[in-house]
Amino acid sequence: MEKPPIAEVLEHYGAAEVPEGDRWLKMKCPLHEDRNASASVCTAENKFRCFACDISGDSFDVIAHQEGCRDFPCARACAEKLLGGSYGAIRGGSNEKPRRRGVFEESRPVRGQRSILQAGLRRKPLAGA
């Protein structure tokens, strides 16, 4: 999947200069008032992390946080609007939602797992009871 470059995203939000390299480099966070470098960026991995405002992730995560998006399609639309370009959908994703178990449905043990009663690990009675 094509993601917007993290340097371009951070410059859009006010970073004066984004250090580029294949390792994590310090920088001032453009997302809050910052006197000292409290953030790190790795342009090779397209990742960002601010230790003061606790924002981390790739370019879509930064855009989603700043624009108030709650899902990927919203973040992708914001990225396309802010930066121009076309950023595709996630490959291999399905539209089918995972089925949630009801409160009263029985849980099934994981393959190879035995229940406590089968293993003979019952709780022993308390002393004096």
Side-chain angles (χ1 to χ4, degrees):
M1 175 181 60
E2 184 72 24
K3 293 182 182 179
I6 193 70
E8 192 175 326
V9 171
L10 294 174
E11 286 170 359
H12 172 76
Y13 288 116
E17 190 175 310
V18 178
E20 295 197 21
D22 60 344
R23 59 191 175 107
W24 288 90
L25 300 169
K26 291 182 183 180
M27 68 175 285
K28 290 184 180 181
C29 180
L31 308 177
H32 70 273
E33 288 293 320
D34 208 4
R35 281 201 224 146
N36 300 322
S38 64
S40 295
V41 66
C42 181
T43 54
E45 294 179 19
N46 204 32
K47 300 277 184 171
F48 173 78
R49 167 87 176 151
C50 179
F51 298 97
C53 57
D54 202 30
I55 297 172
S56 64
D58 62 7
S59 50
F60 283 126
D61 294 327
V62 173
I63 291 171
H65 182 271
Q66 286 301 107
E67 302 300 323
C69 297
R70 294 178 184 249
D71 56 359
F72 177 75
C74 176
R76 184 180 65 210
C78 287
E80 290 173 355
K81 187 190 306 184
L82 296 174
L83 306 172
S86 175
Y87 303 106
I90 298 174
R91 285 187 215 129
S94 72
N95 294 336
E96 185 178 320
K97 291 184 178 179
R99 183 179 162 279
R100 295 186 67 168
R101 231 182 12 195
V103 175
F104 296 107
E105 287 184 40
E106 286 188 34
S107 63
R108 286 173 265 146
V110 178
R111 184 174 161 214
Q113 179 183 10
R114 298 184 330 176
S115 74
I116 293 173
L117 297 175
Q118 290 173 338
L121 300 174
R122 292 188 199 164
R123 196 172 183 190
K124 294 182 180 179
L126 298 173

